[in-house]
Structures are given as C-alpha cells and as structure tokens.
Amino acid sequence: MKRVGLVVAYDGTKYSGWQTQPNGITIQGALNDTLSELLGEKIETIGASRTDAGVHALGNVAVFDTESRIPGEKFSYALNQRLPEDIRIQLSEEVEPDFHPRYCDSEKTYEYRILNRRFPVPTERLYSYFYHYKLDVDKMKEATSYLIGRHDFASFCGSGAQVKTTIRTVTSMDVWRDGDMVTIRISGTGFLYNMVRIISGTLIEIGNGQYPPERMDKILKACDRGAAGPTAPAQGLTLMGIEFF
C-alpha cells in the first residue's frame, strides 16, 4: 500500500463543490470514480480544501491510498486522459504514508477577482464577479490591514459551519487593480466556511464608499456575521495553491 499525492486544478462552474454528495456532481466524486475505474479498486481521495459549488482551483491537493504498482508520477498522465476536461492533475507523486493534507501545517492562498467596469464581459462571467460601481482599491487595501494576524473571524463565518473555534490566522492580504480587474489575494493557515467570500463582499462595500476602511476593525471585533457584508458570489473565487510546512 502506498499513498499518492495530487495537485488538482479545476473549473468549478459545473460542480457542486469539492466534497462528494449523494445528489450532486463533485470534483472529489469525479476523482474517486476515475481512479477506481483505472485501478480496479475502490479509491477514496482526501482533499486539502473542500471548495464550494462554483469555486475554482489551480492548486488544490488530494491524496489516496492504492495497492497499484504504477509509479506516483505517472498518475497525472493516466488521470488526465480519463478525467473531464475541466479537471486536470498538475502533479502526482508518492508521499509519506502518514501525510494528510487537512491535518498538516499549511498555508492556503485564494484570489477573488472582480470585473469592475460599466458593462460585463461575457468571457469573464465564469471566473470573476461583475460589479459596475467604481471601487476604490486604496480604501479596500487599507481595510485589509485590520484582518492580518490571528483573530476571531466569527463575523466572516457562514451560517451552518461546524467548527470548534472561529479563530484563524491570516498571514497576508493584498488588493490591486489591473485595468478593469480588481483582485483580492489572501493567504492564511486556515479558513472558515465562506470566510474569503464574506471578506470579499465586505471589502466591496468599503470600496464602493458604504463604509470607511476603519469600519473593518469594528466588524472583526463584533464577532457577529450580521456585522459584515454579503457573501460574494462563488465564481470570483479561486484556490491558487497550498504550501505545506
């Protein structure tokens, strides 16, 4: 028995998120089915990040155990010939038998993209959130300074989350504009359910002038989901990558 690690990229548009569901097509389900058919054994992958429906990834990480003698690095080629075209393995390799992508220390990086212009662009509709009111990126960037560090992020936790604690650590944040595209990049050692999308929705409200940047500090300290902004739509979010320590 050996454990194989995968770096998985996917367009989440057609999927009900990462995690296997009884009544939905998921990324994990597609991987499990494809691997089970390829290897002739029942395979259950374990993912590092259980992304929501419609969220994309360039570098999610998963592992699986197998009796197969196929070298770890060959799985990427075999899987990419069989998986749907909106899921592609970027790297495969044999890893330590006890490596668990959810329980090892890591830093995840997400980007939220906002198409900020007068009219939508059809080719961007699946990979960004169209927002036509002018955003002040400097104010948004100023507001991110209150979130960096170890805090109680209860104000930015989606309802229905089952967690022991809402304390998380954000290691870095940035906001920038490139033409009509505003990008929010956030890195941290762990995130709550919908945390990045709620932070993004709150930053949009600050960027459009509803609140001053310092309001972010009060929202954070309130530890109340009702204090923060809306949950930004899923299609603007991409898991860029995960670094393990």
Side-chain angles (χ1 to χ4, degrees):
M1 183 72 73
K2 65 183 176 185
R3 178 159 287 192
V4 177
L6 305 172
V7 177
V8 191
Y10 48 86
D11 177 340
T13 303
K14 299 178 181 178
Y15 295 89
S16 300
W18 167 271
Q19 192 169 8
T20 302
Q21 299 176 20
N23 298 310
I25 301 173
T26 67
I27 305 297
Q28 186 182 32
L31 286 173
N32 291 351
D33 291 346
T34 304
L35 280 164
S36 297
E37 182 179 351
L38 171 67
L39 300 175
E41 54 181 312
K42 185 172 177 56
I43 300 294
E44 295 286 345
T45 55
I46 302 169
S49 180
R50 290 177 277 195
T51 52
D52 297 336
V55 173
H56 316 293
L58 295 180
N60 205 346
V61 173
V63 299
F64 66 93
D65 296 324
T66 179
E67 299 281 1
S68 172
R69 300 173 71 176
I70 298 175
E73 65 273 14
K74 297 297 185 182
F75 277 96
S76 55
Y77 299 97
L79 286 171
N80 284 340
Q81 291 178 358
R82 294 167 171 82
L83 285 165
E85 63 182 0
D86 48 8
I87 305 175
R88 283 293 177 264
I89 308 304
Q90 304 300 298
L91 174 72
S92 64
E93 60 184 357
E94 187 170 349
V95 297
E96 294 297 321
D98 62 347
F99 173 70
H100 193 298
R102 283 209 301 274
Y103 300 140
C104 293
D105 291 337
S106 66
E107 181 182 71
K108 299 175 183 177
T109 297
Y110 287 89
E111 284 188 3
Y112 195 88
R113 301 171 74 242
I114 306 157
L115 183 63
N116 189 212
R117 66 197 307 272
R118 183 173 297 177
F119 299 112
V121 176
T123 55
E124 294 286 356
R125 74 190 190 284
L126 302 179
Y127 311 107
S128 64
Y129 169 45
F130 169 67
Y131 190 81
H132 70 277
Y133 291 108
K134 185 73 171 180
L135 292 173
D136 188 325
V137 171
D138 290 336
K139 288 183 178 179
M140 295 170 70
K141 188 168 184 175
E142 182 182 344
T144 66
S145 64
Y146 297 101
L147 302 179
I148 298 172
R150 183 174 174 83
H151 304 287
D152 188 337
F153 283 93
S155 293
F156 304 97
C157 183
S159 60
Q162 298 179 341
V163 292
K164 294 179 180 179
T165 176
T166 49
I167 295 174
R168 294 292 186 271
T169 300
V170 170
T171 52
S172 66
M173 277 197 76
D174 198 7
V175 185
W176 68 89
R177 178 186 290 275
D178 183 5
D180 293 327
M181 193 67 69
V182 174
T183 302
I184 300 166
R185 174 182 277 248
I186 179 169
S187 298
T189 56
F191 293 93
L192 299 164
Y193 178 56
N194 281 346
M195 179 173 160
V196 177
R197 289 167 59 191
I198 297 169
I199 288 174
S200 297
T202 306
L203 286 173
I204 288 170
E205 289 195 334
I206 290 170
N208 70 19
Q210 290 189 51
Y211 310 113
E214 54 269 24
R215 176 69 173 268
M216 185 67 87
D217 187 42
K218 295 180 180 179
I219 294 171
L220 178 66
K221 291 176 179 176
C223 293
D224 176 8
R225 173 66 187 94
T231 305
Q235 76 270 17
L237 185 61
T238 300
L239 172 60
M240 303 301 292
I242 304 172
E243 182 178 353
F244 294 92
F245 305 139

